[in-house]
Amino acid sequence: MGLCFGTFQEKYSQDMAIFRTRLQWGMLFAFIIFLLACPLFFSDRILTIMTMIGIAIISVHGLNILTGYCGQISIGHVGFMAVGAYISAILTAKLGWSFWTALPCAALAAGMAGLIFGLPSLKIKGFYLIMATVAAHFIIIWLILQIYDVTGGPDGLPVPKPKIGSIVLKSKGSYFYLVTAIACLSTLLTKNIVRTRAGRAFVAIRDNDLAAEVMGISLWSYKLQAFFIGCVYAGVAGALLVHYYAFASVDQFPFMDSVWYLGMLIVGGMGSNVGAIFGAISLKLLDELVTIVGPILSGAVAAPAAASLALITRGLVIIIFLIFEPRGLAHRWGMIKAYFKLWPFSHEE
Amino acid sequence: MTKFRLLPVVFVIIMLVALLIFPASAKAAKIMYIGGTMSLTGAYAEDSAAILAAYEDYMKYVNETKLLAPWRKEKFPADITLELLWRDDELKPAKALTIYEELKAKGMLVFRASGSPQALALKDRLKEDGFGAPSMATGPYLMTPPGTIFTYYPIYTDDLAAVADWFKEKWKETRKPRVAYLTADTAFGKSIEIPEMKAYLEKVGYEFVGSQYVPLVPTAPPTTQLMWLKEKKVDLVLGVMVNPGSQPTVKEMVRLGMGPHLEYKLTFACGTPSHLQIFLPAMGELGNGFVVGGGFPSWDEPCAGIKFCHELQEKYRPTKRVPNIMYVGGMVEAMIQVEALRLALKEVPFEKLKPIDVLNHGFYKIKNLETGDLSSTPLTYGPGKIEGVDMVRVDQILKGKIVKQGVWPCRHIYKR
């Protein structure tokens, strides 16, 4: 994180700290207070939107590790979310496990699925890897539909709401807290993962896998690690999603959502933690905006045409970002920060 | 610095977004909302657009005349105006949830769920909040356990059970007829593959052969699947498909000489939403013999409901009529919502009315709601009784026309 003039770090631990100044700690504290106060001031609708954004952030963090940092493009991310979702649903609904035990199992199961479907990444890359991950999505969904007795097949599975002791997290506010806490933890975890040896290896593989291998980085190990970690995040997001719906069904994991998650990463900025957050927030809010604008426009154009606005707008936004700001909102945010860091001596460009 | 001159513009855009997202004040005048979430983008876009059009027309009709239908004597309260609220959920459960919260905050007392994914996501929430909602989705998941989403045509297994009853009545040979599934390779298509359905078919005297699948929208003719049916000497094929799936399947059947009037005698039947009214204009006599269970009446049927739909379209959209038969579905949905509101208003004053009142005094009190034969029977709902109809209509294409074969009892196959 860039620091203002006059801030000096004297120890290595200070230099490595995520929050390094009093201002940063103050802002973090204010942010936590804001999050805690949200259910008091916001309507159920805003809380639902924020919960959905939180789940998207967790999922996009996973995709960011895999695609943004390690360069392994995956369009099967929602399939791995489905793995986590169904494992958690089965453990809680069929075996009576607690949500808190089922959640790590769901994450691990999704990670294991990621390892299996990540194996082709050792031999193929680019377009071919994309096709392999697409196949992963369809294989996972097909498998879920086949094991009717366990997953409920096409009928789906009713899922209990999470509990803390005897308190059921039923209200929108309580679930918002749960999702927000996990989203914050996942952000912190991602931030730390990319600073580890593995994180640096991911970046090296993304930038030039041949050079990385020559430097002694095991492509085999690190690519699979990236798949595992990325899918663990997807599993957690999937589990949170079905416990929120209180129902698990394959229809909740459409293939197109994987494409939109990738879109979030493009808009936010690949290979940046802030980018994953910005991308999830901006595309989800854009989605809400066009949903509201659609019926207003239907006075002028036919309702289906007005409704198609959502798809067109999202597609356009992604194209515009690819052309004009391929480094995403995170890069813009970096420029704004740099401007204020140098203020009042910022130079004109 | 020049780059940051755009910052005020960005700020204004953010403020506009915030203004649009935060709900406006709910109850102002004596307005009641109907509508809900629609799927105007995606696989059900055509159906949803027709449903939306029906909602619009019915709302205008009730507001202008205060009547509920030409065949009904009851009137809607004169001092209350209906308004239509809708949002496109793009068939996404997550969007359906936020749309639900938004419309609820706007003061909506009834809701509607469109496709299965949204119905699944909303089911629990609607029940918790005491919201009643008709839905164009119908499936066994709505009954495990019954929530507050109400159907107005039978679930797929009951559609096909009625077709099986119809076929068995016509069966002349001494041997058992052989039946198989040829269904869409999706959750919705496979929802008929439950042990209870197979048990019912065997109970009424069929020999069950097995299942074959086709993509929801086939990209190639399903020749292999059809040849399998031929090899297994199947007499009746049951499936759940949308029209883009059933049309190419029937075309290929005809090419292979399979059909009730062709060399290889085979009857192919689907449950609604494989609408004959859409199938017929596209296929003509090529579609002869195709059967649909649980459908709506055709546009040329001389029933009061269809006449009413024609009148409304003539009055409110004379130049852009809606040919899609789901207009009829939308009409039934709008009738259910308005009837629930009307009944609830008889028990609770407008100012005090809450969604739970509309559920308890409205939806649950709907008994024998006459839809002018738009639904196979008048609609009846109650706590735990979410299936509005008790009979299933079976239609077949014969000599290029939709011919009603009759109605058969709803077998309520799905027991869980």
Side-chain angles (χ1 to χ4, degrees):
Chain A
M1 194 181 282
L3 297 174
C4 290
F5 286 139
T7 311
F8 301 105
Q9 307 299 340
E10 291 161 357
K11 295 178 191 164
Y12 182 68
S13 60
Q14 282 177 335
D15 203 39
M16 286 307 291
I18 292 172
F19 301 100
R20 288 188 275 179
T21 64
R22 282 186 181 165
L23 178 69
Q24 286 173 351
W25 276 105
M27 283 166 71
L28 174 71
F29 187 68
F31 181 64
I32 290 170
I33 298 284
F34 166 75
L35 289 178
L36 288 172
C38 278
L40 302 176
F41 301 107
F42 291 143
S43 67
D44 280 356
R45 179 177 180 231
I46 304 292
L47 289 177
T48 307
I49 295 173
M50 290 172 86
T51 305
M52 288 298 159
I53 289 174
I55 293 172
I57 286 173
I58 298 167
S59 185
V60 176
H61 272 320
L63 192 61
N64 196 21
I65 289 174
L66 183 57
T67 304
Y69 286 107
C70 197
Q72 308 302 299
I73 300 172
S74 167
I75 313 192
H77 206 58
V78 166
F80 300 113
M81 284 176 74
V83 173
Y86 267 91
I87 292 295
S88 184
I90 292 161
L91 293 178
T92 52
K94 295 237 169 186
L95 303 178
W97 287 27
S98 140
F99 167 79
W100 305 104
T101 334
L103 186 68
C105 293
L108 275 176
M112 294 306 287
L115 276 184
I116 295 165
F117 288 105
L119 284 172
S121 69
L122 309 175
K123 287 281 177 195
I124 53 177
K125 55 185 179 181
F127 176 74
Y128 301 100
L129 182 61
I130 292 174
M131 293 315 290
T133 56
V134 170
H137 173 91
F138 289 107
I139 291 169
I140 289 167
I141 297 297
W142 180 84
L143 274 174
I144 291 170
L145 284 172
Q146 296 314 305
I147 36 178
Y148 182 91
D149 291 336
V150 184
T151 60
D155 297 342
L157 207 59
V159 184
K161 293 264 185 190
K163 278 185 196 172
I164 299 177
S166 58
I167 305 162
V168 183
L169 301 184
K170 225 170 140 181
S171 68
K172 271 110 200 154
S174 58
Y175 211 87
F176 165 78
Y177 284 141
L178 172 70
V179 169
T180 306
I182 297 178
C184 289
L185 279 176
S186 70
T187 305
L188 202 62
L189 190 65
T190 315
K191 175 89 184 162
N192 281 320
I193 285 172
V194 297
R195 302 195 303 173
T196 60
R197 180 189 176 88
R200 288 192 296 274
F202 292 162
V203 175
I205 292 169
R206 177 195 67 191
D207 291 346
N208 190 326
D209 57 352
L210 193 62
E213 195 170 21
V214 170
M215 283 194 297
I217 292 169
S218 164
L219 296 188
W220 183 84
S221 165
Y222 284 112
K223 278 185 180 180
L224 285 186
Q225 278 183 44
F227 264 99
F228 180 80
I229 298 167
C231 294
V232 160
Y233 279 75
V236 171
L240 288 171
L241 201 63
V242 289
H243 283 276
Y244 188 60
Y245 292 146
F247 203 94
S249 158
V250 288
D251 288 333
Q252 290 158 351
F253 302 96
F255 171 68
M256 271 310 286
D257 276 9
S258 291
V259 180
W260 294 126
Y261 281 131
L262 205 58
M264 286 177 192
L265 211 50
I266 290 167
V267 170
M270 284 202 190
S272 154
N273 289 333
V274 185
I277 298 169
F278 281 167
I281 294 174
S282 52
L283 274 201
K284 282 275 175 193
L285 286 183
L286 184 73
D287 217 19
E288 288 302 316
L289 179 67
V290 289
T291 306
I292 298 166
V293 172
I296 299 168
L297 286 182
S298 67
V301 292
S308 307
L309 184 76
L311 281 175
I312 296 166
T313 314
R314 277 201 305 259
L316 264 179
V317 165
I318 293 170
I319 292 169
I320 288 168
F321 268 87
L322 278 171
I323 296 171
F324 297 107
E325 188 52 284
R327 285 179 287 180
L329 287 170
H331 175 62
R332 268 301 120 177
W333 173 241
M335 285 170 69
I336 292 170
K337 278 203 305 185
Y339 170 78
F340 284 106
K341 204 168 77 174
L342 297 171
W343 190 85
F345 305 111
S346 330
H347 62 276
E348 290 274 347
E349 273 190 64
Chain B
M1 183 62 202
T2 43
K3 284 194 175 177
F4 301 105
R5 281 184 193 144
L6 283 174
L7 275 177
V9 181
V10 173
F11 178 74
V12 170
I13 292 170
I14 291 169
M15 292 310 289
L16 279 173
V17 172
L19 274 173
L20 280 168
I21 286 176
F22 281 87
S25 62
K27 287 182 182 176
K30 275 199 163 185
I31 290 170
M32 291 190 119
Y33 299 113
I34 58 168
T37 171
M38 308 272 170
S39 303
L40 291 161
T41 318
Y44 304 129
E46 290 286 319
D47 285 359
S48 292
I51 286 176
L52 179 61
Y55 265 94
E56 280 170 355
D57 294 351
Y58 189 70
M59 175 199 70
K60 287 176 190 167
Y61 172 79
V62 175
N63 281 341
E64 281 175 19
T65 64
K66 295 296 166 191
L67 291 169
L68 298 163
W71 56 87
R72 293 186 62 194
K73 288 180 183 145
E74 304 92 335
K75 285 196 164 188
F76 195 72
D79 57 336
I80 295 172
T81 309
L82 290 175
E83 262 187 30
L84 176 62
L85 275 181
W86 65 271
R87 300 280 184 267
D88 175 29
D89 59 34
E90 296 176 58
L91 262 180
K92 288 181 180 171
K95 276 193 94 169
L97 279 183
T98 55
I99 288 168
Y100 165 64
E101 295 296 348
E102 185 210 347
L103 300 190
K104 189 173 80 175
K106 281 189 185 297
M108 208 165 185
L109 300 171
V110 292
F111 203 67
R112 91 171 280 273
S114 40
S116 308
Q118 299 91 315
L120 285 167
L122 285 165
K123 188 186 159 196
D124 203 49
R125 229 157 235 77
L126 289 168
K127 193 171 185 190
E128 265 175 29
D129 296 345
F131 259 86
S135 173
M136 76 177 205
T138 170
Y141 50 83
L142 294 178
M143 297 178 207
T144 50
T148 54
I149 296 177
F150 301 97
T151 68
Y152 49 92
Y153 63 99
I155 67 168
Y156 313 122
T157 43
D158 290 338
D159 284 347
L160 297 180
V163 171
D165 289 344
W166 162 79
F167 188 82
K168 195 73 195 356
E169 281 177 23
K170 288 176 45 155
W171 186 249
K172 298 277 187 328
E173 293 184 38
T174 48
R175 68 173 174 88
K176 282 183 174 183
R178 276 181 285 270
V179 64
Y181 298 143
L182 177 66
T183 194
D185 190 12
T186 61
F188 133 92
K190 290 184 171 185
S191 67
I192 55 171
E193 283 190 304
I194 55 170
E196 296 93 323
M197 185 74 210
K198 185 170 170 265
Y200 180 78
L201 292 169
E202 285 169 349
K203 193 183 98 184
V204 294
Y206 283 92
E207 183 191 332
F208 185 77
V209 174
S211 300
Q212 288 290 299
Y213 308 102
V214 290
L216 190 65
V217 181
T219 46
T223 318
T224 322
Q225 294 92 321
L226 295 174
M227 290 312 290
W228 182 89
L229 295 171
K230 207 170 182 177
E231 274 170 26
K232 298 281 178 187
K233 297 185 171 53
V234 171
D235 304 296
L236 174 68
V237 182
L238 303 173
V240 183
M241 292 181 191
V242 287
N243 283 72
S246 58
Q247 286 170 18
T249 304
V250 172
K251 271 182 194 158
E252 184 62 2
M253 274 183 178
V254 173
R255 193 184 73 80
L256 295 170
M258 301 163 81
H261 313 295
L262 300 171
E263 317 79 274
Y264 179 86
K265 302 286 175 222
L266 178 85
T267 301
F268 179 39
C270 281
T272 301
S274 191
H275 309 297
L276 284 181
Q277 296 83 352
I278 299 168
F279 185 93
L280 183 62
M283 298 283 289
E285 294 209 9
L286 202 63
N288 272 348
F290 182 55
V291 180
V292 165
F296 299 106
S298 58
W299 282 120
D300 53 4
E301 202 163 300
C303 65
I306 290 291
K307 196 175 159 226
F308 180 50
C309 289
H310 283 309
E311 282 169 8
L312 291 192
Q313 292 220 41
E314 192 57 44
K315 189 173 180 187
Y316 299 119
R317 52 185 78 246
T319 55
K320 41 178 184 179
R321 291 175 73 98
V322 178
N324 188 305
I325 199 65
M326 278 312 282
Y327 182 90
V328 168
M331 191 57 64
V332 179
E333 279 189 26
M335 283 179 185
I336 297 168
Q337 285 196 348
V338 175
E339 179 67 356
L341 290 172
R342 187 189 73 82
L343 290 171
L345 280 166
K346 284 166 74 178
E347 303 289 329
V348 183
F350 172 82
E351 292 74 21
K352 291 183 180 172
L353 204 58
K354 292 193 174 78
I356 188 77
D357 301 319
V358 181
L359 179 67
N360 289 331
H361 304 294
F363 284 101
Y364 288 162
K365 294 284 165 65
I366 293 178
K367 305 288 171 212
N368 291 315
L369 174 66
E370 278 293 346
T371 57
D373 287 337
L374 293 180
S375 51
S376 53
T377 58
L379 302 169
T380 298
Y381 300 114
K385 187 183 179 338
I386 60 146
E387 283 182 292
V389 292
D390 292 319
M391 302 291 277
V392 185
R393 181 192 165 106
V394 177
D395 295 277
Q396 187 176 29
I397 295 184
L398 292 171
K399 293 180 184 167
K401 284 196 170 172
I402 299 170
V403 180
K404 185 179 176 180
Q405 300 295 305
V407 287
W408 275 262
C410 209
R411 300 293 178 189
H412 302 289
I413 299 282
Y414 194 83
K415 293 280 187 274
R416 271 162 287 179

